[in-house]
Amino acid sequence: MRGDHELILFKPSGRTKDNIGNEIVIDPVETAVLCDLRSVGRNEFYSAATAGMAPEMVFVMHPYEYSGEQQVIFEGVRYQVIRTYSEHDEEVELVCGKVKGK
C-alpha cells in the first residue's frame, strides 16, 4: 500500500446516555488517514445494484486506523461505507457509495 490519497474518516454527532441516564451530546469527529484507491469490481457493482446500493469507490487503508466509521469524506464528497473487506491483517477495503444530499 502506497497511501497516495487522503481520506477523512467521519463519525457524525449523536446522543448517548451515561451510566446514570444523563443524555450526552457527542461531537462529530474527523480523522485524516492515507489510503489507496481501487475500482469497484463489475460483479460487486451489479450485485449491489440489485440490492439498491450503488458502490462507487473502494478505499484501501491500514486496519489499525479504521474503527468502524460508517461515513468517509474524499475530495470533499461524503461517502457511506457499504461494506468492509479484509483478506489479511495488512489492509482493509472500504466499499463506499455517495451519501445522497450531502
Side-chain angles (χ1 to χ4, degrees), residues 1-88:
M1 190 180 101
R2 294 186 318 230
D4 292 339
H5 304 277
E6 183 178 76
L7 180 68
I8 298 171
L9 303 174
F10 182 75
K11 286 187 182 178
S13 61
R15 296 179 184 270
T16 189
K17 293 189 178 190
D18 65 11
N19 58 354
I20 58 171
N22 296 320
E23 192 169 276
I24 300 170
V25 176
I26 301 170
D27 293 328
V29 177
E30 294 183 3
T31 306
V33 298
L34 295 176
C35 71
D36 287 337
L37 298 178
R38 292 197 183 138
S39 42
V40 176
R42 188 177 9 214
N43 289 338
E44 177 155 28
F45 179 81
Y46 288 111
S47 294
T50 61
M53 294 181 260
E56 297 183 37
M57 304 286 281
V58 178
F59 303 103
V60 182
M61 57 188 286
H62 295 290
Y64 57 82
E65 295 178 309
Y66 180 66
S67 299
E69 291 86 353
Q70 291 301 302
Q71 293 187 2
V72 299
I73 302 169
F74 181 70
E75 295 181 346
V77 178
R78 187 172 298 184
Y79 293 89
Q80 180 74 35
V81 177
I82 296 172
R83 75 169 185 91
T84 60
Y85 175 74
S86 182
E87 190 172 321
H88 46 77

